[in-house]
Amino acid sequence: MNGANAVRVTGPLIAILFEGPAISKDFLSEEIRACACECACDGACYECNDCDDGPDCAC
Amino acid sequence: MKKSMFVVERSQANGDCVLFCAETASIIVLNSDAMQLLRSEEWDKLPMLEDMMRMKFIVDDDEDQVEIQRQIRNYVKEPREVKTLAFVIAPTLFCNARCAYCFEKGTKQCRMEPSTEAAMIDFIASTAKRFNAQKIAVTWFGGEPLLEQELIRRVSKALIGVVGKDNYNASIATNGSLIDDDVIGLFKVCNITSVQVTIDGTEENYNRIKNYVAPDRFNFQTVIRNIERCLENEILMTIRLNISAVNYNDVRVVLEQLAQRFGPYKKQMHIYAFPIMGDKDDESLYQSGSGSQELKEALDGITMRLFELGYKDSYKSLALKARPVHCAAFRYHSYSIDPNGDIFRCEHHLGHKDWAVGNVFEGIDEDSSKFRYWLEPEVPDKCNSCKILPMCQGGCVMEIGTNLDACSKQLLTLGTSLDLAYKLYERRVNS
């Protein structure tokens, strides 16, 4: 896929911009990767590290 | 298969469409041909079907997405072992500023006594042991916490002794007026690595709103200089811009001033705007209900400008996140402690004893209705059909009955955030 200023191509195209942490529906047997330790106002992470998921976590 | 109920679409002028899945906070772009296939549910022709299913844009027909969200909320509300326990500590409710909007207005000003301090350290240490936490994180809060620097030093030392310096981290919410070189030294000794300061407007308006007790010593220029002092010492700065219907234009000006003065420190700074919360009938405040267009325009305006100034330069900086509960107060492990030793779920209740769920002397009464109130996994009925339920999870308890008692502000600004995501994407493909 191309941006607005690039040459466009035809056919169905999908591009991934950002893949967030998946919360599996089988979460009860897995660790929830997204924690709830960030401020709901600004998204600032309180660094609880409960997500244990490094830079790709919900924080 | 079906398209997820938690997908938000945002069309772009060239026919592309940005799709956001609130359940995983994932963002993708589809061209018009791909959108056509998605709308007509021609799954076998849709490219990257597996990726779209992994990111939950498409889910199984029988998947009960609302029930899964309810179970997720319930999960984090149950007691369990955690790697890090986070505590908010207000060593004092005294403050050298007198902001008109302060949520602690009406509470009895007091400072923490030595016996309370000792009991608090024991409570934190025993709680960490009980839940096998390896790390402790503290947010210093107030009042103005830097009025109690020696308490901060003592408590930090004690908690570092419990888990070790590498496993202890702290931040502080301060008005910034008391930060000097000695305080920078205190931050370093106490592992305080990030500082939040609120700026309510340009110099004249800031000084009027803050109404400091000694305005010749504590004022806008003092705070700006102290922000610089923190940045020079590699401390992460969060600047909160409190906005209302009467100060918005002034806050826009101060944003430009901050960007100009602290331009080289962009990577160390997180700037965000938040509407002042208050009386529902106060016309000087933004209303998040039926009159939310004005608030939306204000938040969008600042978000766009932060993007243009380079403060939002990645998808993560757009702060589009899924969360299991609305905020930390709804997790089982949530501890905000005031100078009396009372323990609250939400730091905005500090000093309001009727919201206390326990104290550092006797612990938390986990069977009390006040404690269980926060662990109720249900959300208002209207939320169960909302596309961003996984981001909001029912909203803020504190905002009920106030001018902000309506849907999440994230819903207001989501469209603009997705437009910015597309701009970032265009930058990438055109570079």
Side-chain angles (χ1 to χ4, degrees), chain B residues 35 42 97 117 121 124 133 138-139 145 157 161 209-210 214 225 228 271 280 310 315 340 357 377 422:
Chain B
M35 277 305 293
E42 295 178 77
E117 178 185 328
I121 291 168
I124 291 174
V138 166
T139 299
K157 185 179 179 184
I209 292 167
K210 285 294 176 193
R225 172 67 195 114
E228 192 164 47
I271 303 178
K280 205 173 184 65
Y315 299 117
N340 298 309
V357 296
Y422 191 75

Side-chain angles (χ1 to χ4, degrees), chain A residues 25, chain B residues 1-5 43 52-53 56-65 68:
Chain A
K25 65 178 177 182
Chain B
M1 284 182 284
K2 62 184 179 183
K3 191 177 84 172
S4 164
M5 65 176 286
W43 309 122
M52 291 183 74
M53 292 185 74
K56 306 295 290 278
F57 285 92
I58 296 168
V59 297
D60 291 333
D61 281 324
D62 61 351
E63 186 160 322
D64 187 342
Q65 296 184 273
I68 289 172

Side-chain angles (χ1 to χ4, degrees), chain A residues 1 3-4 8 11 13-15 17-20 23 27 31-32 34-36 38 40-43 48 50 55 58, chain B residues 16 24-29 31 33 47-48 54 71-72 75 80 84 272 315-316 321 323-324 326 328 331 425-426:
Chain A
M1 183 172 295
R8 299 190 64 75
L13 286 166
I14 297 174
L17 275 57
F18 180 75
E19 183 169 353
I23 300 175
F27 63 89
E31 182 163 6
I32 286 187
C35 67
E38 72 265 21
C41 306
D42 69 338
C48 73
D50 208 14
Chain B
D16 288 350
T24 61
S26 298
I27 312 170
I28 59 175
V29 174
N31 71 358
D33 289 343
M48 300 174 69
R54 186 182 68 252
Q71 291 180 21
I72 288 171
Y75 179 80
R80 61 197 172 104
T84 304
Y272 75 101
Y315 299 117
K316 291 189 85 168
K321 296 172 186 170
R323 62 184 87 229
H326 180 74
R331 302 177 84 224
Y425 165 71
E426 284 185 308

Side-chain angles (χ1 to χ4, degrees), chain B residues 366-385:
Chain B
E366 297 180 359
D367 294 322
S368 69
S369 57
K370 284 178 188 171
F371 185 81
R372 302 307 303 179
Y373 166 81
W374 293 90
L375 304 185
E376 170 57 54
E378 301 305 327
V379 297
D381 284 344
K382 65 174 183 178
C383 302
N384 284 324
S385 57

Side-chain angles (χ1 to χ4, degrees), chain B residues 10 31 64 76 87 107 114 132 140 172 233-235 251 261 266 275 337 349 354-355:
Chain B
R10 183 75 169 178
N31 71 358
D64 187 342
V76 296
F87 297 84
T107 61
N132 203 25
W140 295 103
I172 190 167
N233 283 278
E234 300 179 341
I235 290 167
V251 166
R261 172 114 181 204
K266 267 179 200 153
I337 303 169
H349 288 138
D354 50 333
W355 278 94

